[in-house]
Every structure is written in structure tokens, then in C-alpha cells.
């Protein structure tokens, strides 16, 4: 992971029970705080990847930049980039690099794929209910709307549970937008460096295996201001010419 950060960047790690993963930049340039749960499960490993992406985004900001630039992030880019790195945890090749045996890696990859499919589907159901609730005037109508969504999606949930999730709809919208942006970034990387299926200039390699791809990602992440936006990030991936020569090897 060090290849996604500046060599001098310092990271302090805290292990706390029953807490979500979280990364925070501190006021001093070149330093971050990473909080991790003590439990180790497939999901916490996936979330760790998510937070390591946020850590890389913090660490690659120019240390000499004003504090407001070092702490200002486009939420779409931040979420989409974290989902991109988190997605690598579902690659059997990536898991093999971590020393995980082939059989276990296959099980984990299948779990992560199913977990994302379920999460995205459930968020879509939440947004559908959010739309339907706009026409409701009573709690009984709201329960009926939730029951209809549960029935249409095949969820064997009490409607009250779906209604309780409505407090998180804004959060779910950010996730779904992040997934869409992440998929756009993956498409750009696949087209430029290869997708592992023999397509594009990478031959049989995936962009994940290309040093040039990680160099380009680091360069894009280091941008601030309008160039550091979600749109600016995609523009950086589309720039013609060689990747910056100063960037070291892959993650």
C-alpha cells in the first residue's frame, strides 16, 4: 500500500473494538490517523481497503498546499475511488498476493460479489420507496408503500424495516453515485491498460497489474481544485501521452 502514498507520509493506526474503519487527516501535513476494528472478517477486510483508499487520497495531497485544499475533497470522487480499491478485494489474483490460498480466495471473491449485488439492490429498493413516499400522507399509506416495495423486490422484510432505512437515503444516493463513477473509472482503465481478457494494450494483463496504471492513478489523486474533482479525475485518465515517469511500482 505504501506505493499509493508518499514515502514520508506517516500513519498512526488505532485498533478499537466494535467500531467501523475510519481514516482522518491530521492538521500536520504528511500525517494521517487510521482507526480499525479489532475483529477480522471478510467485511472488515473489505472496509479496510475502502479506508486505505481514503488514506491514499489524503496522503497524495501536496504537503505545501493550503490547509483548505488538503482537506477539501469531491465526495463523489472520494467515494468512487474508495469503492474502486475496495473492489480489488474481490479479485482472486489480488487475494493470492495477500497469501490467501486459491480455494479461500474463490470463496471470498464470490462473497464480495454477492455482497455488492445485494447492497446495490437494497439501496435501489430504498430509493424506490423514497419516491413512493412522496405521495403518502399517513403512516398507513407509508406502510402500504413499503409493503409494495418489499413484495416487488422479493424482500421478506417487515415494511417497518424498510421505513427505518429511509433515514439513510441520502447516504445510499452517494453510494450509488460512487458505484456509477467507479465503473466509469474501471472502464477507462480497462480501455487504456487492459482488462485481463486480452483486450486493449495490456494484452492478457489487467490494469491492476500495470505500473503505469497505478502511476496515473496517483497523479490523478494528487490533483487539487477543479482538477481534483470527480470529472477532473476522469479527464486525467483520458490524457494522451506517457504516464509520469517519477511514479514507482504498483500497489
Amino acid at each position: 500500500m505504501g506505493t499509493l502514498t508518499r514515502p514520508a507520509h506517516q500513519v498512526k493506526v488505532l485498533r478499537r473494538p466494535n467500531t467501523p474503519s475510519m481514516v482522518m487527516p491530521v492538521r500536520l501535513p504528511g500525517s494521517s490517523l487510521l482507526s480499525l476494528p479489532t475483529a477480522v472478517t471478510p467485511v472488515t477486510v473489505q472496509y479496510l481497503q475502502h479506508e486505505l483508499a481514503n488514506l491514499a487520497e489524503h496522503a497524495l495531497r501536496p504537503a505545501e498546499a493550503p490547509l483548505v485544499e488538503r482537506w477539501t475533497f469531491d465526495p463523489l470522487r472520494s467515494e468512487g475511488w474508495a469503492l474502486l480499491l475496495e473492489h480489488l478485494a474481490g479479485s482472486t489474483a489480488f487475494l493470492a498476493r495477500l497469501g490467501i490460498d486459491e480455494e479461500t480466495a474463490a470463496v471470498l471473491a464470490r462473497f464480495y460479489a454477492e455482497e455488492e449485488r445485494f447492497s446495490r439492490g437494497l439501496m435501489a429498493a430504498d430509493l424506490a420507496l423514497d419516491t413512493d413516499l412522496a405521495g403518502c400522507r399517513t403512516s398507513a399509506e407509508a406502510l402500504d408503500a413499503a409493503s409494495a416495495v418489499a413484495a416487488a423486490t422479493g424482500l421478506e422484510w417487515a415494511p417497518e424495516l424498510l421505513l427505518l432505512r429511509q433515514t439513510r437515503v441520502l447516504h445510499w444516493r452517494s453510494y450509488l453515485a460512487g458505484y456509477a463513477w467507479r465503473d466509469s473509472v474501471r472502464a477507462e482503465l480497462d480501455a487504456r491498460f487492459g482488462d485481463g481478457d486480452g483486450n486493449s494494450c495490456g494484452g492478457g494483463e489487467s490494469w491492476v497489474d500495470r505500473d503505469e496504471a497505478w502511476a496515473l492513478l496517483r497523479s490523478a489523486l494528487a490533483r487539487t481544485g477543479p482538477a481534483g474533482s470527480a470529472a477532473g479525475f476522469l479527464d486525467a485518465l483520458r490524457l494522451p501521452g506517457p504516464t509520469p515517469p517519477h511514479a514507482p511500482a504498483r500497489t
Side-chain angles (χ1 to χ4, degrees):
M1 182 63 201
T3 58
L4 266 180
T5 64
R6 299 182 186 279
H9 194 84
Q10 297 182 347
V11 180
K12 182 175 182 179
V13 178
L14 298 179
R15 299 295 301 275
R16 300 185 297 171
N18 303 318
T19 58
S21 301
M22 185 182 304
V23 64
M24 295 157 282
V26 298
R27 185 168 293 274
L28 295 174
S31 182
S32 296
L33 178 66
L34 177 61
S35 176
L36 302 175
T38 52
V40 179
T41 68
V43 172
T44 59
V45 171
Q46 186 181 41
Y47 290 169
L48 171 60
Q49 285 288 108
H50 194 100
E51 297 308 324
L52 288 177
N54 291 330
L55 173 61
E57 190 175 30
H58 295 159
L60 288 170
R61 285 293 167 96
E64 66 278 5
L67 185 62
V68 67
E69 289 189 12
R70 287 191 280 112
W71 277 17
T72 301
F73 299 92
D74 182 320
L76 177 57
R77 190 189 88 157
S78 294
E79 191 61 40
W81 159 242
L83 288 170
L84 176 68
L85 204 64
E86 174 187 314
H87 186 72
L88 296 183
S91 162
T92 53
F94 178 85
L95 293 170
R97 286 186 199 157
L98 300 180
I100 297 174
D101 65 88
E102 183 177 351
E103 182 178 355
T104 302
V107 172
L108 285 173
R110 186 166 62 251
F111 169 83
Y112 289 136
E114 287 297 316
E115 193 274 339
E116 178 175 320
R117 187 178 69 85
F118 177 78
S119 294
R120 294 180 73 160
L122 190 54
M123 290 174 197
D126 290 331
L127 296 183
L129 178 56
D130 179 55
T131 299
D132 293 344
L133 288 175
C136 296
R137 295 294 178 266
T138 66
S139 58
E141 290 178 350
L143 282 171
D144 287 343
S147 296
V149 169
T153 56
L155 283 171
E156 296 181 359
W157 282 19
E160 291 85 355
L161 290 178
L162 284 178
L163 290 172
L164 283 173
R165 286 175 56 88
Q166 285 295 297
T167 59
R168 303 277 286 172
V169 161
L170 186 60
H171 186 58
W172 301 149
R173 288 187 188 280
S174 72
Y175 257 84
L176 290 173
Y179 279 125
W181 185 88
R182 179 203 70 180
D183 292 343
S184 296
V185 170
R186 287 177 59 199
E188 292 292 336
L189 292 169
D190 287 345
R192 184 162 183 171
F193 298 103
D195 58 10
D197 295 323
N199 299 323
S200 191
C201 66
E205 280 190 319
S206 164
W207 65 265
V208 179
D209 302 310
R210 301 291 300 278
D211 295 348
E212 304 95 317
W214 291 103
L216 185 57
L217 286 171
R218 283 190 295 273
S219 176
L221 283 170
R223 294 177 164 212
T224 59
S229 66
F233 189 100
L234 283 168
D235 289 341
L237 298 187
R238 296 165 180 153
L239 288 174
T243 309
H246 60 275
R250 70 181 75 111
T251 180

